[in-house]
Amino acid sequence: MGAAPSVPDGGDDATAVTGSASDISKVSATHEFTICEYSRTKGMGIGKSILSQYFSVDGRRWFMRFYPDGYSRNDAAWVAFYVQTLYKPQFRAVRAEFTFQLLGANGEVRHTRRSDRACKFDTFCNSWGIRRFISRAQLEAAALAAVHNDSITVRCTVVVHKEQAKNLPVPRPMLADQLPSIHAQNAIRFYASGKAPFDVRFSVGGEVVGAHKMVLAAQSPWFESLLYGPEPANLVDVCGGVVSAEALRGVIHFIYNDELPPAVTSNKRTAQSRYGATLGLYSAADYYHMDRLKMMCAITLGGCINQNTVHQIAEYAKAYSCKELDQACKNFADRRGMMLLPRIEVIQRLISRGGGASQFKKRIKNDVAGPSTTTSQQAAL
C-alpha cells in the first residue's frame, strides 16, 4: 500500500482585486501592587491616590492608582483602583481591558472586578478604573481576610487590543482565472445514472451485476488487465466463487462513489453484519489490488477490534500484508496481556484464495487465459 494513515486499535492568489480585513490580536501583562501600612493611607483625602511602580504592556508604561478615601465625594465609602498609561504623542490611541483582583495572604483571590468593555486610552483620557471596587467596610472585614500584616495586595491584568489592517485577496465573482476540474465527477455521475449501457456483466453466486469496463479498469489494475488484456471483448461474463456477490457489489459501489458501501457503514445493519461485510470487502480489495479501498477497510476493521475479533482480524492482516492493521491488533493484545496465536492454516487458506500482492500477476495471467469468442470472455474470479 501507499501512504499509510493510522489504524485505530480498539480505541499566491490569481485574482487582481485586493482588500483589507481587520485582525485583532491581544497582548496582556499582569502586575501585583502591595499597599503596605494600609491603615496609614486612610484620611489622605478624596480623589488622592497612591501610585504603583510601572509595568509594560505592548511597549507602553502602565501604572496602578489606589484611592483609599474614594475617587469622588459620591464614592467616599468605597476604595477605587485605576490603571493609567503614560501617553506620548508618538503613541497611537489604544483600547484595553483590565481586571483587578484582591488577593489574600496566600495569594488566593478574594474579590474581583473587571471592565465591561475595552476602554480607549488616548490624550483625552489615559486613565480608566473601577470607582466602587469594594466598600471600605467590606475590605476591612475579618471575614474577607484581605488585610494581612496591615497591607493589601491587588493584582491588575491589562489586555491590550492590537487592531491591524491586513491586505487580503478578494475573489472576483464570475471572473476567477482558474476553476477546479469537474470532468471526472461528471463522467462518474453519468455512468452511475445508468443511461450508458453496461458493457460488462459479472455473475457471482447466481447474481448478475452490471458495470462499465472503462470505469472499473480506471480504478483497479486487476480489472484493467482482465477487461483490456490481449483479447478484450465487448461483453464479458465473469463467474466464480472467490469473491462473494456482496463483496463484489461493495467494490463496484466504491468505484462509482468513492465511499464504502452501506453494507459496511449503515446503522440499520447489526454490528456483526457490518463486521462480516467489512472482512469480505477487505479480501476483495486485496484481490482486485485496490490499495485505497483496502486501507479504508483496514481502518474500519481497526475500530472493530475487541477480545472476540482480534485473532481473526490479525489473521486477515497477516494474510493480506497490512502492517498497520497487524500492529493495531498487537497493540490491543499487549495492553490486555493477551497472546496472539494466528492460525497458520487460516492464513494459508486466505492466501490460497488469491490474497497478497505477490499473487497478483499470476491471477491476472490465469484470469485472462482461456477460450474467447467475439461476444464474451470467460474468466474465473
Side-chain angles (χ1 to χ4, degrees):
M1 291 181 289
S6 61
V7 175
D9 50 10
D12 296 315
D13 200 318
T15 58
V17 181
T18 61
S20 63
S22 174
D23 179 51
I24 299 178
S25 58
K26 297 180 180 181
V27 179
S28 64
T30 299
H31 181 75
E32 292 187 2
F33 182 23
T34 299
I35 297 96
C36 301
E37 296 183 335
Y38 162 75
S39 59
R40 296 182 59 184
T41 64
K42 293 185 291 184
M44 286 182 56
I46 296 173
K48 293 186 177 181
S49 63
I50 299 174
L51 201 64
S52 74
Q53 292 185 343
Y54 77 86
F55 56 101
S56 296
V57 188
D58 191 29
R60 301 169 184 261
R61 288 187 175 186
W62 299 76
F63 305 85
M64 291 174 62
R65 285 188 178 272
F66 170 53
Y67 296 83
D69 292 329
Y71 183 83
S72 66
R73 292 186 181 276
N74 294 333
D75 311 307
W78 302 72
V79 300
F81 279 95
Y82 273 63
V83 62
Q84 177 180 347
T85 182
L86 182 60
Y87 190 87
K88 293 183 178 181
Q90 64 267 31
F91 287 164
R92 59 178 176 80
V94 66
R95 294 187 179 273
E97 304 171 50
F98 51 87
T99 302
F100 296 111
Q101 294 177 310
L102 184 63
L103 306 181
N106 297 321
E108 69 279 11
V109 177
R110 294 294 185 177
H111 183 72
T112 301
R113 292 290 304 276
R114 57 174 53 87
S115 59
D116 59 357
R117 66 187 185 279
C119 302
K120 185 177 182 180
F121 293 79
D122 55 16
T123 52
F124 300 102
C125 182
N126 67 344
S127 180
W128 290 83
I130 309 294
R131 288 192 177 190
R132 296 188 175 187
F133 176 70
I134 190 173
S135 68
R136 189 176 296 104
Q138 185 181 1
L139 172 63
E140 298 174 358
L144 188 63
V147 180
H148 44 89
N149 297 326
D150 196 25
S151 66
I152 60 173
T153 300
V154 174
R155 177 187 296 151
C156 175
T157 300
V158 176
V159 181
V160 174
H161 292 207
K162 299 184 66 176
E163 185 172 353
Q164 299 176 341
K166 289 187 175 181
N167 290 329
L168 297 176
V170 178
R172 295 173 295 177
M174 306 302 295
L175 294 176
D177 294 332
Q178 294 183 355
L179 289 174
S181 173
I182 57 173
H183 285 190
Q185 296 178 15
N186 289 339
I188 290 298
R189 187 184 302 111
F190 174 73
Y191 279 120
S193 69
K195 296 179 180 179
F198 293 141
D199 55 4
V200 62
R201 185 169 60 245
F202 297 89
S203 177
V204 181
E207 182 175 340
V208 177
V209 181
H212 302 92
K213 293 196 297 183
M214 182 179 296
V215 177
L216 301 186
Q219 301 299 326
S220 165
W222 187 90
F223 284 118
E224 178 184 0
S225 296
L226 176 68
L227 303 175
Y228 292 92
E231 299 178 358
N234 295 326
L235 181 64
V236 179
D237 292 319
V238 183
C239 58
V242 175
V243 176
S244 67
E246 182 181 58
L248 179 61
R249 288 197 307 270
V251 168
I252 294 177
H253 176 92
F254 174 80
I255 289 176
Y256 278 88
N257 299 278
D258 195 29
E259 64 181 15
L260 295 176
V264 173
T265 61
S266 176
N267 291 328
K268 295 182 179 180
R269 302 187 59 166
T270 65
Q272 185 63 31
S273 176
R274 294 196 302 271
Y275 169 66
T278 306
L279 286 177
L281 188 60
Y282 181 55
S283 298
D286 181 83
Y287 187 84
Y288 294 132
H289 212 65
M290 299 174 63
D291 292 340
R292 172 172 160 77
L293 175 59
K294 183 177 177 181
M295 178 51 74
M296 291 174 68
C297 291
I299 293 173
T300 302
L301 288 173
C304 298
I305 296 175
N306 57 45
Q307 292 184 347
N308 297 324
T309 63
V310 62
H311 292 282
Q312 185 179 28
I313 294 176
E315 291 166 351
Y316 272 69
K318 289 184 180 297
Y320 300 133
S321 304
C322 183
K323 296 180 180 179
E324 296 81 10
L325 185 58
D326 186 36
Q327 186 60 51
C329 293
K330 292 178 180 178
N331 293 344
F332 179 89
D334 290 344
R335 289 200 303 267
R336 288 157 180 78
M338 300 171 58
M339 291 188 61
L340 285 181
L341 299 175
R343 295 166 294 180
I344 301 301
E345 65 277 9
V346 174
I347 297 176
Q348 291 176 340
R349 176 172 56 83
L350 292 173
I351 294 176
S352 68
R353 294 172 57 186
S358 62
Q359 302 290 327
F360 174 62
K361 293 183 179 180
K362 181 178 179 181
R363 286 191 282 109
I364 291 297
K365 183 178 179 180
N366 293 336
D367 292 338
V368 299
S372 62
T373 68
T374 59
T375 59
S376 67
Q377 175 181 352
Q378 300 292 331
L381 286 178

